[in-house]
Amino acid sequence: MDRTAPGVAVMDVRDEHWNIEEWGHKIEEIYDDPNGPALFNINESDKREYDAIYLGGGASGRFGSAYLRAMGGRQLIIDAWPFLGGSCPHNACVPHHVFSDCAAELMRQRTFGGTLWFQSMDGVRTSIKDVVDLFKRGRTGPHAIMNYQSKEQLDLEYILNAKGTIVDAHTVEVAGRRFKAKNLILAVGARPQVLDVPGKDLKGVYTNVNLVETLDYEPSDTVVVIGGSKTAVEYGCFFNATGRRTIMVVRSQCLKLIPDLETRGYVLDRMKEQGMEIWEGSELQSIESDDDGKVKGVTIKTPDGIQRVATDFVFMGLGETPNSEMAVQALGVQVGPKNEIIVNSRLQTSVQNVYAVGDLIGAPMEMFKARKSGVYAARNVMGREAHYDPQDFPDFLHTHYEVSWLGLGEEEAMKKYENVVIIKMPPNNPNGLNIGLPAGDRVMLYAMAKPHMSGFQKLVIDGDTRRIVGAHHVGYGAKDAFQYLNVLVKQGLTVDQLGEMDELFLNPTHFIQLSRLRAGNERLVGL
Ligand SMILES: Cc1cc2nc3c(=O)[nH]c(=O)nc-3n(C[C@H](O)[C@H](O)[C@H](O)COP(=O)(O)OP(=O)(O)OC[C@H]3O[C@@H](n4cnc5c(N)ncnc54)[C@H](O)[C@@H]3O)c2cc1C
């Protein structure tokens, strides 16, 4: 929805002190109304010049603003949506997690259907639309909390529901008014990429954005997903778990981003076991329309020739393009080959007093980087020199499982270290994975009844220094630990130190107890 309309009505909310529920109602009322007012929360009694305007109030703009305000500075957020928080709770991370939760639940239901208390799911197709609608009804809560928290608890100034236009390096025009600041911090995010093929604009072609906004029918029995990285796989696994034939069309290799080959192999094998078709080395050529302008099929070039697939639902999960166009036109900021604004480690662009943060500056496009880059820009604006270089971060994705990793895969480690030692579960076994370990919360039934589905985990160690150099996990509940483990690994965590920790048995990763079994070795041996 375009909210640039000049003369847009303005509502001064400064003296309103709505609670979270009231904010929720207000957001719902305004969101679908193209003539809805711009919401002004400006502290007119503060006569100081703004230290920074954050253009965009997503993760990067909001966290950066909060930090700048906490340091005693004055900030202003301008956002086109009637809520703060940006794309994550609106059409990105949060729906993705809803869908991934559903995928895990459904996989469990389908795996154990007809046994124990599980009803048979044979031939059962569950609704995609119901889950999308459920998410849409629920997303206002997080939106409302962010407006409330930002105003009442963090004391942030903001203008919502109005697009800002950059005038110069110190000025933004919004809802017919011009606001000036010492610095401009660009935080306008990114948008989904769409393959430029015939039929890309037909009804029935979705990205993560228009899926939640416009899905108004129940997709039939075949879904085609374009892409082989996080978004494609996460959404694809959900569609598959609903009982639909799901074809992943992947130009090169699926899930190349998982650094350890054995872990990646485990993940792909389980996806295929769930019935997913992964067409690697394949490209979408065109999307065909029925008489009503709706998708009726796709043409795909595969290594075995052209394939035509009948479907009414195509999902493009191809990554994102930074929204840098306005800044280029208005300010001439330098951009890279993927449209990303180029910044130095202080988040400064090529134009003085203009910073850029979040997805707008390119990969990794993740929440931790959005929030931290916003904060680091704030520090620099406030005269505290701070350098940010997102390296060596832990990562994760969802299939029907949660997959987490940090550091090096076994293959990369072998190139770097002479004596690589591996501790893993299940261990190498002539009968393959058919062992009821790893076992942990959420996989206990699998461990007992379908052991090969109970997950996979691996610790990669430099045997000479005894330092952990990589960790990999497929299962549930380990992601949280990886956030902290990554810090310890960067600090030089050894297998001996890991073995000294106190495990909360049964724990999702078995790293502590397995390390303890080997820590007594003077010359480290794998497991
Ligand atoms: C499907 C999907 C799933 C994801 N899942 C995860 C996950 O599980 N974990 C994770 O860490 N990351 C995840 N991400 C990435 C994460 O969502 C982003 O990294 C993060 O939201 C980026 O924050 P941002 O502030 O840079 O941009 P955004 O949150 O997109 O904020 C940009 C803001 O700018 C506003 N804006 C744009 N133009 C203007 C203008 N002219 N005037 C005023 N306002 C404007 C927009 O309204 C928006 O609010 C996911 C991404 C996708 C696509």
Side-chain angles (χ1 to χ4, degrees), residues 402-472:
E402 176 190 291
V403 186
S404 312
W405 65 92
L406 61 84
L408 302 176
E410 184 173 344
E411 296 70 26
E412 278 302 306
M414 303 267 263
K415 285 185 203 154
K416 210 168 160 192
Y417 301 102
E418 278 185 6
N419 175 21
V420 171
V421 173
I422 299 296
I423 287 180
K424 66 182 179 181
M425 189 59 80
N428 286 336
N429 170 39
N431 297 324
L433 299 166
N434 223 9
I435 301 170
L437 280 170
D441 302 322
R442 306 284 90 77
V443 296
M444 295 308 291
L445 289 184
Y446 293 112
M448 298 303 123
K450 304 266 181 187
H452 71 287
M453 294 177 74
S454 70
F456 181 79
Q457 46 201 239
K458 181 192 265 191
L459 213 48
V460 184
I461 304 163
D462 168 20
D464 292 336
T465 61
R466 304 171 79 89
R467 287 171 62 158
I468 314 295
V469 297
H472 309 271

Side-chain angles (χ1 to χ4, degrees), residues 56 59-60 79-81 86-87 92-93 96-97 164 187 326 358-359 365-367:
S60 57
D79 201 287
W81 277 327
S87 56
C93 330
H96 139 219
H97 281 259
M326 178 169 45
D359 284 0
M365 292 191 190
E366 303 286 349
M367 287 295 278

